[in-house]
Amino acid sequence: MARYTPSEIEAKWQEAWEKTEAFKALRTADKPKYYVLEMFPYPSGRIHIGHVRNYTMGDVIARYKKANGFNVLHPMGFDAFGMPAENAAMASGGHPKDWTYDNIDDMVAQMKPLGFGLDWSRMFATCDPEYYGRQQALFLDMLEAGLVYRKNAVVNWDPVDMTVLANEQVIDGKGWRSGAEVERRELTQWFFKISDMAEELLDAIDTLDDWPAKVKLMQANWIGKSRGLQFSFSLIDGPEGHDRVEVYTTRPDTLMGASFVGISPDHPLAKQLEKDNADLAAFNAECRKGGTTEEALEKAEKKGFDTGLRVRHPFDTAWELPVYVANFILMDYGTGAIFGCPAHDQRDLDFARKYSLSVVSTYVPEAGEDSFTPPEDGGEAYVPPKTEKVRYVKGFAGDEVQTGNEGVETAIDFCEASGVGQGVTKFRLRDWGLSRQRYWGCPIPVVHCDDCGVVSEKKENLPVELPYDEDGKPIDFSIPGNPLDRHPSWRNTTCPSCGKPALRETDTMDTFVDSSWYFARFTSPDAETPTRMEDAEYWMNVDQYIGGIEHAILHLLYSRFFARAMHITGHLPAKCAEPFNALFTQGMVTHAIYQTKDDKGRPVYHLPEDVDLETKTVKATGESIEIVPSAKMSKSKKNVVDPVNIIAEYGADTARWFVLSDSPPERDVEWTAAGAEAAYKHLSRVWSLSEKIADMVPDTPGQGDEDLLRAMHKTIFEVTQGVESFGFNAAIAKLYAFTNTLAKSTAGQAVKSEAIKALAQLMAPMTPHLAEDIWAMQGGDGLIVNAPWPVADEQFLVEDTVTLPIQVNGKRRGEIEVAKDLPKDEVEKAALSVDAVQRALDGATPKKVIVVPGRIVNVVV
RNA sequence: GCCCGCGUGGUGGAAUGGUAGACACAGGGGACUUAAAAUCCCCAGGCAGGAAUGCCGUGCCGGUUCGAGUCCGGCCGCGGGUACCA
């Protein structure tokens, strides 16, 4: 008997697909199009089992849509700029470019054997000059359209290495290499005006019907529209040029509970005051230490400095409040100044208690709750949801009892009417800083000229290419900082406007720029311009986008912005404003960690192949291991599973089948070697089953043809539904069940052959090589990859009888089988006559009998 | 800190507000075999019981409902994001 040998059949069918160009994306008038895209990978050098899962899901959709008569675009590329390439060059010499392209070659070589239905002819990497040159053209068009500008912004500055650090390079406020305390420093940087589109990006979220609700919610919260009051406190004896402090508040209804004014250490007033106040200067300098992340700022201990200045309350000129500089107030949000109301904000309360400031409640729970302790008396800050009704004890506008939202609105109206301030709508979303002081990124194509200022490079001079060498010598990456800064032959150029000597911009672009339009470039990867309209018109939008939840906010929001910007600059049609029609976010692949402890109690990690799971010991030393289940795969914890080994041992179809089975795609999946083994066994079984059926004498009669057909059509229906709804794991469970049914069936040869062909077709998107082999064995027409998707025959789906569970007071006590359309009162009678139900009733008379047709009967006593 | 998720047997997980544990893995029992591997069949949430069956059970506490894994409120734990990781 022959055996299932993936190594042979997988190579064979991949060759057949390649020969027939089965996955080449073609524009033809006779078919609708379908664009399926997985978030492209960073070329780390090794594919990861998580990639296999991501691309397999996309491939299932792509092959399924092809079978349903679509022209499918399913491309692949690489998000190839970024820090790891420079880090590698720093750590072990070499050049980021060589490192990156070598990694891409390696990853393609690892991906090809998986048999993904990709149009490889469209592949590109974002570090290809053909790609980033067009990105530079796009940048210049955006600059011209007023979507780009320069302003100062803070970066993490390492004072020892004299370089800018990424947030992940700041560990506990210190530089990762130098260990020096990081400072926040201001630089002039390039920005995209994404905040101009805040309202539009927020409103359009409602049109994204096929996006996960959680992603839409996260984006809406990130954009953060708020309604508040902007007004000023007049400053008593302020320094020259400062007679008031402008504040923004989303809680003007708490104005009568104000106890202090806080300003950011970067506020103009704070900067003015520190000139004559060494203590304040020291305090501000201390505040400017540490990283720039929101997390670091929020978690830092809340500290303040009393400036000694005082302001007048806008409603009562006799009421004075102290002005503090506080480290938790951001210059970037609002006006960089706030008033603190300790009674209704825990952070302000902590601050007030620390500096002995007054605490005054402006509202209390509507109905006096016994358990309520006002913050004045040592309780927590009272912060109910804004939708909840509260009783204003120090209100000044609107009803005494109203919701927080009503309180805010009436307070704004009152303040506007009395000339105290204006109602203002603000967004949390900040403009997108794209400048990076690094080498391995897309150069920003502008020139700095002493006479002409900042001048765009001419489009015919694009791409502004990254220099590979420096005066004939390899660029030295061992020195911290941006090599472009110290590269005279590259940096010195002539002004495109006046022709005089000038300097190139040495900042490169954030890699999020690269990934914000690659999906559009895939529609015409060889175009001279960023996109070609007729291709974009045909292939856009992406019908199904698949990627990790970690990109829920930034990548997706930036792409939405770019799609709009590309329309404004004439690179995309208007219909592409929202470029991703449907989004699916898949979970991570996790794996157990095997660890021991060293003599100091620190964990030591071991590779899965180095441990014996039977005895739970390290093979080499015999030490017993501790097993930490389900941890995110990470190289440092040595729990990364390399799919290459799995493919070598079991074949691509097994790897594909396993990553789809068991776990719902949106959830994290635990990789276990036993699971892969089981998947392989099952595929072998299906293959053998096909061989047995192929060996049957044609037209051999049997019993149960109708039952098998019934099961087959039901499976076609359920699997189709599963694939449509990303229920791959559920679809696979149905395929298991149908395989069991088919294996046990005594039906005739003709029906069995029909059934195994249907099974192969249903499995084809998941295990395409095995499916082709079975199809060929059963004499199927052509390649299965070109066969139309099977359709379930309705007449086999209807059932005549139905099993109804019977509950008594919500507890299941028995069941009855009845005709599907039996009237309710008959069902009720049948249900009550069941022995177990009578026993459970124990003589009691039912008060009510609830009959849910086709579902359940509940007898209420 | 803030925003968003997730939590079901020994394990992965299934379940339009309607029989909790489908389908698998690991495990136990059996068949085949000189034997093993492979394959096939059966059992299997926990507790009690020979069984029939009963009670308990979807992280914890409470609520809505005839009925809650599912909806609502409050906790606990884990994960993602937090604007220079990609």
Side-chain angles (χ1 to χ4, degrees):
Chain A
M1 198 176 77
R3 287 193 53 185
Y4 169 55
T5 44
S7 53
E8 282 168 32
I9 68 170
E10 290 181 356
K12 174 174 146 195
W13 294 113
Q14 281 170 23
E15 208 183 304
W17 300 330
E18 202 166 324
K19 228 180 252 169
T20 56
E21 296 196 319
F23 303 111
K24 192 155 180 84
L26 294 173
R27 269 170 54 192
T28 60
D30 59 322
K31 286 182 179 180
K33 69 90 191 183
Y34 196 90
Y35 183 2
V36 56
L37 181 68
E38 300 97 57
M39 290 180 186
F40 66 164
Y42 179 79
S44 61
R46 305 297 295 171
I47 63 164
H48 179 278
I49 197 74
H51 293 125
V52 177
R53 191 176 185 217
N54 187 207
Y55 307 141
T56 302
M57 289 177 196
D59 201 31
V60 170
I61 302 292
R63 287 171 180 268
Y64 170 75
K65 289 294 174 182
K66 181 172 161 65
N68 277 285
F70 290 86
N71 281 330
V72 172
L73 172 57
H74 185 209
M76 181 56 67
F78 290 90
D79 188 13
F81 276 134
M83 293 201 308
E86 280 185 78
N87 292 342
M90 261 189 263
S92 44
H95 196 283
K97 181 177 175 180
D98 299 330
W99 184 86
T100 303
Y101 280 104
D102 286 350
N103 280 353
I104 290 173
D105 289 346
D106 289 348
M107 286 179 80
V108 170
Q110 290 165 56
M111 282 161 81
K112 287 255 167 120
L114 280 157
F116 297 131
L118 292 162
D119 182 352
W120 287 102
S121 72
R122 289 176 187 252
M123 183 181 114
F124 61 76
T126 54
C127 63
D128 297 341
E130 295 76 22
Y131 183 79
Y132 72 73
R134 273 75 197 205
Q135 183 164 303
Q136 290 170 340
L138 206 49
F139 176 89
L140 293 179
D141 290 343
M142 286 169 73
L143 184 60
E144 187 147 336
L147 293 164
V148 188
Y149 70 104
R150 296 216 300 165
K151 71 166 179 182
N152 284 356
V154 289
V155 293
N156 301 304
W157 180 257
D158 185 321
V160 170
D161 278 353
M162 302 287 279
T163 187
V164 176
L165 298 179
N167 286 334
E168 73 160 6
Q169 296 173 322
V170 179
I171 297 152
D172 294 331
K174 302 196 171 63
W176 66 337
R177 285 173 181 280
S178 68
E181 198 154 11
V182 169
E183 294 164 12
R184 291 201 286 277
R185 177 177 278 213
E186 280 202 347
L187 291 181
T188 305
Q189 313 230 59
W190 288 92
F191 282 83
F192 287 124
K193 271 194 188 170
I194 190 173
S195 67
D196 275 8
M197 290 189 198
E199 184 100 60
E200 151 76 9
L201 288 167
L202 180 65
D203 291 347
I205 288 173
D206 287 341
T207 67
L208 302 173
D209 296 332
D210 291 318
W211 281 41
K214 62 182 170 186
V215 174
K216 292 193 277 186
L217 190 54
M218 281 190 260
Q219 292 227 345
N221 288 341
W222 184 263
I223 294 169
K225 184 176 182 174
S226 67
R227 175 87 179 143
L229 181 75
Q230 189 157 329
F231 68 100
S232 53
F233 288 98
S234 61
L235 195 55
I236 303 165
D237 301 329
E240 171 125 26
H242 296 273
D243 56 353
R244 52 204 188 94
V245 178
E246 191 83 9
V247 302
Y248 172 73
T249 176
T250 56
R251 291 312 294 258
D253 56 325
T254 64
L255 201 39
M256 298 308 283
S259 85
F260 64 95
V261 165
I263 63 174
S264 164
D266 298 315
H267 192 277
L269 176 59
K271 286 186 171 175
Q272 176 67 37
L273 291 172
E274 74 178 16
K275 287 177 187 165
D276 314 312
N277 185 336
D279 290 345
L280 178 58
F283 177 82
N284 285 347
E286 193 59 35
C287 290
R288 290 186 195 113
K289 279 190 182 162
T292 57
T293 64
E294 187 193 326
E295 187 191 3
L297 296 172
E298 284 282 336
K299 280 189 176 170
E301 193 200 344
K302 309 297 179 282
K303 280 187 271 188
F305 185 95
D306 188 352
T307 63
L309 286 176
R310 299 178 85 75
V311 295
R312 291 188 208 286
H313 194 279
F315 291 164
D316 179 358
T317 50
W319 181 357
E320 295 183 1
L321 293 96
V323 178
Y324 277 76
V325 176
N327 64 346
F328 54 85
I329 300 168
L330 303 176
M331 199 54 223
D332 282 334
Y333 189 66
T335 60
I338 58 142
F339 75 81
C341 177
H344 305 295
D345 184 296
Q346 191 61 41
R347 186 188 61 191
D348 291 351
L349 182 60
D350 295 342
F351 192 82
R353 285 182 177 156
K354 189 165 178 176
Y355 297 104
S356 308
L357 303 169
S358 64
V359 178
V360 179
S361 285
T362 53
Y363 48 78
V364 295
E366 182 194 357
E369 282 171 35
D370 298 341
S371 58
F372 177 70
T373 312
E376 295 81 326
D377 301 338
E380 301 268 278
Y382 178 52
V383 194
K386 275 186 179 174
T387 48
E388 202 170 285
K389 280 198 172 177
V390 294
R391 182 176 304 280
Y392 281 82
V393 290
K394 284 215 184 293
F396 57 90
D399 297 334
E400 189 189 342
V401 173
Q402 56 186 341
T403 66
N405 282 323
E406 288 161 354
V408 169
E409 277 311 311
T410 53
I412 290 173
D413 291 347
F414 179 90
C415 290
E416 282 186 338
S418 49
V420 165
Q422 290 87 45
V424 174
T425 298
K426 280 201 191 291
F427 294 90
R428 203 185 81 98
L429 179 67
R430 307 198 295 258
D431 277 334
W432 171 11
L434 69 121
S435 290
R436 296 293 180 271
Q437 294 72 41
R438 281 184 242 296
Y439 168 83
W440 193 233
C442 172
I444 293 175
V446 302
V447 168
H448 298 271
C449 171
D450 281 344
D451 292 346
C452 312
V454 179
V455 184
S456 294
E457 185 53 87
K458 287 183 183 153
K459 280 215 179 145
E460 62 262 34
N461 292 339
L462 299 182
V464 174
E465 256 190 86
L466 287 168
Y468 183 81
D469 296 319
E470 188 173 358
D471 298 328
K473 283 174 289 180
I475 292 178
D476 186 357
F477 287 93
S478 64
I479 307 169
N482 182 357
L484 298 178
D485 273 339
R486 42 183 157 79
H487 194 296
S489 61
W490 185 81
R491 202 177 174 194
N492 288 301
T493 183
T494 51
C495 172
S497 174
C498 70
K500 283 194 205 149
L503 291 177
R504 283 199 187 286
E505 169 70 65
T506 57
D507 280 359
T508 51
M509 297 187 201
D510 177 9
T511 56
F512 271 124
V513 181
D514 312 335
S515 56
S516 290
W517 70 287
Y518 77 108
F519 49 87
R521 182 70 185 171
F522 273 136
T523 64
S524 47
D526 55 351
E528 293 293 322
T529 45
T531 57
R532 197 184 292 126
M533 264 303 180
E534 66 264 33
D535 284 316
E537 190 71 54
Y538 181 77
W539 290 115
M540 287 297 286
N541 295 333
V542 177
D543 293 282
Q544 181 66 60
Y545 196 31
I546 305 170
I549 187 68
E550 66 272 22
H551 295 294
I553 298 173
L554 294 179
H555 163 62
L556 291 167
L557 189 64
Y558 291 157
S559 296
R560 295 177 63 216
F561 164 72
F562 245 70
R564 286 166 170 80
M566 287 177 79
H567 170 59
I568 292 169
T569 51
H571 296 291
L572 278 179
K575 68 166 185 178
C576 300
E578 287 300 337
F580 310 123
N581 290 351
L583 173 70
F584 187 85
T585 53
Q586 100 278 8
M588 295 180 301
V589 179
T590 61
H591 190 275
I593 294 173
Y594 307 115
Q595 63 180 36
T596 53
K597 296 268 165 77
D598 70 6
D599 50 4
K600 287 182 180 143
R602 290 173 305 204
V604 177
Y605 302 103
H606 302 275
L607 292 168
E609 54 264 39
D610 293 341
V611 301
D612 184 340
L613 288 179
E614 295 271 309
T615 58
K616 298 193 176 169
T617 53
V618 179
K619 280 180 193 164
T621 62
E623 277 176 285
S624 25
I625 51 167
E626 189 190 335
I627 300 177
V628 181
S630 290
K632 178 177 162 179
M633 285 191 182
S634 122
K635 266 190 194 161
S636 60
K637 303 216 168 125
K638 296 198 177 174
N639 67 335
V640 176
V641 174
D642 191 336
V644 170
N645 299 336
I646 312 288
I647 297 160
E649 192 168 355
Y650 301 113
D653 281 339
T654 292
R656 296 170 57 120
W657 182 259
F658 176 66
V659 293
L660 294 174
S661 61
D662 283 1
S663 268
E666 68 275 14
R667 223 191 286 179
D668 296 348
V669 64
E670 170 84 7
W671 178 272
T672 60
E677 165 96 31
Y680 176 75
K681 278 187 193 172
H682 178 74
L683 298 187
S684 301
R685 192 163 163 243
V686 174
W687 193 89
S688 305
L689 188 56
S690 170
E691 201 190 30
K692 257 186 243 163
I693 293 170
D695 288 345
M696 284 172 85
V697 177
D699 300 320
T700 314
Q703 274 109 50
D705 284 9
E706 159 106 17
D707 287 346
L708 185 56
L709 284 172
R710 202 171 267 285
M712 179 183 96
H713 284 283
K714 197 168 157 226
T715 306
I716 291 172
F717 179 79
E718 289 171 337
V719 172
T720 303
Q721 265 202 327
V723 172
E724 287 273 356
S725 63
F726 272 83
F728 302 128
N729 57 323
I732 282 181
K734 305 291 182 194
L735 289 169
Y736 266 109
F738 183 57
T739 305
N740 289 337
T741 304
L742 177 55
K744 285 178 192 165
S745 170
T746 53
Q749 182 270 338
V751 174
K752 277 196 167 183
S753 179
E754 191 184 340
I756 190 91
K757 278 165 79 179
L759 180 62
Q761 281 189 284
L762 296 175
M763 289 174 73
M766 304 157 187
T767 58
H769 314 86
L770 172 67
E772 289 287 5
D773 221 50
I774 294 174
W775 189 253
M777 240 190 266
Q778 303 296 332
D781 206 11
L783 291 173
I784 204 169
V785 74
N786 294 319
W789 190 251
V791 179
D793 187 338
E794 297 269 340
Q795 66 163 323
F796 289 104
L797 300 178
V798 288
E799 308 267 358
D800 311 332
T801 62
V802 61
T803 305
L804 292 182
I806 324 276
Q807 297 179 332
V808 176
N809 282 342
K811 275 190 190 219
R812 183 182 175 279
R813 295 296 174 181
E815 60 182 35
I816 47 170
E817 184 155 329
V818 296
K820 203 183 169 210
D821 48 4
L822 193 70
K824 273 191 181 188
D825 51 336
E826 303 259 349
V827 174
E828 192 175 321
K829 216 185 289 171
L832 289 172
S833 69
V834 173
D835 279 354
V837 174
Q838 283 304 322
R839 231 180 303 131
L841 287 175
D842 195 24
T845 331
K847 266 192 227 150
K848 199 163 139 192
V849 180
I850 292 153
V851 179
V852 184
R855 278 281 170 200
I856 203 166
V857 180
N858 191 9
V859 182
V860 185
V861 197

